[in-house]
Amino acid sequence: MNKNKFYVTTPIYYVTAAPHLGSLYSTLLADVAARYHSMMGKNVFFLVGTDEHGQKIAEAAKKVNKHPQDFVDGFVDSYSSMWKLYNIDYSKFIRTTDKYHQEAVQTWISRLIAQKDIYKDTYTGWYCTPCETFVTQKDQSEDDKANSKEANAEISCPSCLRPTNEISEECYFFRLSAYQDKLLSFFEKHPDFISPKERAQEVISFVKGGLKDLSISRSTISWGIPFPGDSKHVTYVWADALNNYISAVGYGSANGEKELHAWWPADLQVLGKDIVRFHAVYWPAFLMASELAQPKKLLVHGWIKMGDQKMSKSLGNAIDPKSLADKYGVDEIRYYLMRKMAITQDSQFSIADIEQSINSELADDLGNLLNRCSTLCQKYDYLSIQAPSTWSDETKKLQEKCHLMIKDSLDMIEQGFFYRAINNIWEYINITNAYFHANEPWKQAASNKEKFQETIAATVYSLRAIGIMLWPIMPEKMETLLSSIGYSIPMSSRLTHTLNPEISKPTPSLSDISFSDNLVMKKIDTLFKKMEKTMDQSTEQIITPVEETNFISIDDFAKVDLRVGTIFECEIVEKSDKLLKLQVDFGSFGKKQIFSGMRKFLSPQDLIGKQGVFVVNFKPRNIMGMPSEGMMLTSDGAVLNPSKVIENGSKVV
């Protein structure tokens, strides 16, 4: 087995419409993972593609009077061009209508028929055409189970909630039930197979509820891969689609065994939570029957939501990624999706959040740090920086924190928690800003040239580390940033071999640094500012009067003691679905235990190490039998926190 490889896949997308933000998000997760592993010296194979068979495709093609092949051909370019726009650096684009894939699926079916894992019978039950899913009795909601007792009652699909159709047809079945115990044993031995763990528990619960054999052919439609040995049947779309992960790397081809051995098993398979059953139950069972190794990890992300609904083409609330790129920039949207969409839960899409991310985080935090450094060097003619032979203790602490940032971020990336890794990198950006500000190099330039150069050199080393670590997220922006400090990513070498020594060890000089005159990260004129500019002078119509009883005096406000603190411990409160218990360090003001109702928005890992603003002079009260000594300021799932690192216990005024 090739240990120095990384094989990552995305779901293959159903081509009934152009790609939307949800499909972009899945693909970006895989692209970012591929880029990180490439930087760490791995040989990477990154697979994307399209799912082009099934009843839904056939019906959509019929509505526009097209042959299904012509219909799907018309959509494929929209996917490849969108991935090109967003710099998705994939290795191969597979289509399930590709001849080699169809032959591989037929080979797979023939082998399973020969070993009696596939047999013919009749299926009677419910089918969701939009999801291409057979809906069983245990999939139904309690309301549907009650309704199903009534004549002609419609059963809803558990995924899309639309009505299903009752069908009865001859089918070939895969003996899924025979693999129930093997699946449960595999899950027990590989607890990290499905991430996050909440999804794993859902899958295990489903399998323990009992598995029925799975229909893998259709005799009432003709658009699909012909079933080997029976011209009346075509292959069920999921039995077809899931096999793309192995057909793309040689399975079923005459000379493909060497390629299959080189790349399989997949190291990471990215998918949305709505298709987890197909990938975590059916797919592992298929592989067990085929005597092939299991993927190392399934990374299952939540939905991007618009209001209370999942964003999807079928629901008509999808966002066009091209329009977002045109308005805000490709790397800006890559950053927004990777940082603001949490793997562990559903996430709300927000234009306001995009604009805040660009202006506050990219422009103010990162872009301004580079710009201030560049401006000072140009002003005082320091385009070549002489680093000290020995760093000061303060700078050594900055470098130690850089080492820790790299290590912790890579650990988070390995687990698939990219948003946590970016948050961790951003904490280091704030630490570097605080270092730069505290040393006041604008004062050192004339009076202490050695200290000035040390401050600039240390900041440049930090920017180098930040640029490299953020390159998989924002490749174009970070290449510009790194170029402006005389550096490029050595893609032919391991990240860990090139990054750490150049950051941590004294370097005689930093030569050939040509600082850019342009900001890498630019602020944008937000929609809200534009609204303010064009707003009618007569505001009485849109402003709700405030009742006099809602006013407080300055004396009332002065009684509230607001302090900055760092959360050093955080845990879930058992028997509560919304509470987290925080341990907060307020510096000389002491440490306090504070409860927060943020569990539905954030996990403990999201908050540990974070700074926040807290009310600290509330009278202690008991919550779930434990004392709570304050309140964390939050708004709509977001934590109010300083834009840079502030000393614990600092008073907010």
Side-chain angles (χ1 to χ4, degrees), residues 615-638:
V615 179
V616 295
N617 63 334
F618 274 134
K619 182 179 179 180
R621 56 187 178 136
N622 280 337
I623 296 179
M624 307 289 286
M626 295 173 281
S628 181
E629 304 171 283
M631 182 179 73
M632 180 167 64
L633 299 191
T634 65
S635 175
D636 195 24

Side-chain angles (χ1 to χ4, degrees), residues 7 44 129 193 195 218 234 329-330 337 361 401 412 575 586-587 628 651:
Y7 178 22
V44 171
T129 300
F193 174 62
S195 181
R218 301 293 307 277
V234 297
V330 166
L337 290 174
E361 296 161 15
K401 289 177 180 177
M412 294 170 188
K575 298 182 181 180
F586 292 101
S628 181
K651 190 174 179 64

